[in-house]
Amino acid sequence: MKKRALVLGCTGQLGSYLMELLLEKGYEVWGFVRRSSVGNVARILHLYDRVHLVNGDLTDTSSIESALRVSKPHEVYNCAAQTQVGTSFIEPLHTADVTGVGALRLFDACRMMRSLAESPRIYQPSTSEMFGASTPPQSEATPFNPSSPYACAKVFAHHSARLYRRAYGMYIACGINFNFESPRRGEEFVTRKITMAIGRIRAGTQTELRLGNLSARRDWSHAKDVAQAAWLMLQQPEPDDYVIASGVSYTVKEFVEAAFNLAGLDWQKYVVVDPQQMRPLDVAHLEGCANKAKAVLGWTPTVTFLELVKEMVEHDTILATSDASYP
Ligand code: NAP
Ligand code: GDP
């Protein structure tokens, strides 16, 4: 019998790579898509005839329950969330509702389904933002010190996952993911904002790139590697928490330099530091220790920082001069 998987947030960066991975592994794949007036399926258009899509929203319990009933999943991947830290300062209540309580709605809907079908295993993508100002390198043992409404919502979801694991014996595994990027990264995140600007500068349609805090340090991996880690977490005998990170960190300025160098451009001619891009509070340094994931899951990142930057710069250079969208 084919295994069935339900991917919430399948139109997003991680969800789209996970759908591809699960199809490759022979799963029957279901995606949970929220309604959009302008279309939000560009990242999964190439998968349309191979997956089943159901409509729903993480703020709407009945749509979650209905998606679970129709897909009868063995595995559920919760990639749906309001994921932008900056936006969470502008929309804190919406972020808490979707990113925090939304995850709990899903866990509880799965708990209620248990008598109807085999209990699904659940993947919850937690975040390094939960560590906030805690000293790097951060591991599973590092205390949480959230510094944004997004991080607070994720801490709530993370603790809810752990609670449902202990209280009800549910299989909920949490990946404590450090930043992951790709040519499918949302355009308001700093890496994609930089590589899209480079594409447009090369195409002659942009002359300036306005950025905020250039000294923030992040540990960047490829989203495809994170999808692989998510799948591995659900294949273990017991659910657990795993830091997923490259173990190397770079400043935003170093990302800018690497990307502009690859394009043969002098970044100082284009980058303007704009106070409006600064956050009320920012996380200075995230750098993960993924020793547990390496030892238990046998997971290692396959894409280096420079390979990631190169893939994004090349993709966005083509994008700026063509009708291409997502790879
Ligand atoms: P993303 O590209 O922003 O995708 C988010 C997905 O959630 C999209 O499909 C979006 O739908 C969907 N969504 C948003 N609000 C929803 C709602 N109310 N109901 C149903 N779906 C909703 O994010 P990502 O980079 O793939 O991240 C995936 C997960 O990993 C998220 O939980 C994120 O917080 C977590 N994470 C990400 C990182 C990172 O660096 N990327 C690091 C740590 C953890 P639309 O397409 O309609 O907008
Ligand atoms: P985050 O780590 O999940 O917040 O991912 P982002 O890509 O949104 O931000 C990474 C870092 O880049 C943060 O420290 C931001 O403050 C910093 N940054 C600097 N300029 C910008 C900008 O123009 N946009 C965004 N999104 N972040 C910026």
Side-chain angles (χ1 to χ4, degrees), residues 1-8 27-32 52-54 63-77 106 110 113 117-118 120:
M1 190 193 52
K2 265 191 169 188
K3 263 190 167 179
R4 291 181 298 276
L6 174 64
V7 181
L8 294 95
Y27 282 68
E28 179 181 308
V29 179
W30 290 74
F32 184 80
H52 308 268
L53 299 180
V54 285
S63 68
I64 299 171
E65 288 170 351
S66 157
L68 289 167
R69 259 196 305 276
V70 69
S71 60
K72 297 186 179 58
H74 300 98
E75 295 175 10
V76 173
Y77 295 85
L106 173 67
C110 290
M113 297 289 294
E118 200 186 331

Side-chain angles (χ1 to χ4, degrees), residues 9 11-14 34 40 57-58 79-81 83 98 125-127 150 154 177-180 185:
T11 56
Q13 176 186 218
L14 181 61
R34 64 174 172 164
N40 54 358
D57 195 293
L58 265 189
C79 304
T83 60
V98 177
S126 298
T127 170
Y150 168 76
K154 281 287 187 181
N177 301 311
F178 283 63
N179 293 47
F180 54 85
R185 181 60 145 152

Side-chain angles (χ1 to χ4, degrees), residues 89-207:
F89 282 102
I90 301 162
E91 300 175 13
L93 298 176
H94 172 72
T95 304
D97 195 16
V98 177
T99 306
V101 180
L104 178 59
R105 285 190 192 97
L106 173 67
F107 304 154
D108 208 52
C110 290
R111 178 176 73 87
M112 303 298 242
M113 297 289 294
R114 289 184 76 185
S115 54
L116 300 179
E118 200 186 331
S119 176
R121 294 185 167 203
I122 304 170
Y123 165 72
Q124 171 61 22
S126 298
T127 170
S128 55
E129 292 287 329
M130 299 189 307
F131 298 125
S134 288
T135 312
Q138 294 98 356
S139 73
E140 294 82 2
T142 304
F144 297 149
N145 192 356
S147 302
S148 65
Y150 168 76
C152 290
K154 281 287 187 181
V155 169
F156 174 81
H158 186 78
H159 282 306
S160 300
R162 293 172 63 97
L163 171 69
Y164 272 53
R165 211 189 273 164
R166 286 187 293 129
Y168 304 115
M170 287 174 65
Y171 193 115
I172 311 180
C174 299
I176 307 177
N177 301 311
F178 283 63
N179 293 47
F180 54 85
E181 319 291 319
S182 72
R184 297 183 194 175
R185 181 60 145 152
E187 296 168 19
E188 73 276 49
F189 293 88
V190 76
T191 57
R192 192 77 202 288
K193 186 172 167 183
I194 294 164
T195 59
M196 287 194 75
I198 288 173
R200 293 193 190 112
I201 289 166
R202 286 173 127 179
T205 55
Q206 185 170 337
T207 53

Side-chain angles (χ1 to χ4, degrees), residues 84-85 129 179 188 190 193 212-213 216 218 252 279 282:
Q84 233 294 326
V85 173
E129 292 287 329
N179 293 47
E188 73 276 49
V190 76
K193 186 172 167 183
N213 180 6
R218 290 290 182 275
V252 172
R279 294 169 182 175
D282 204 3

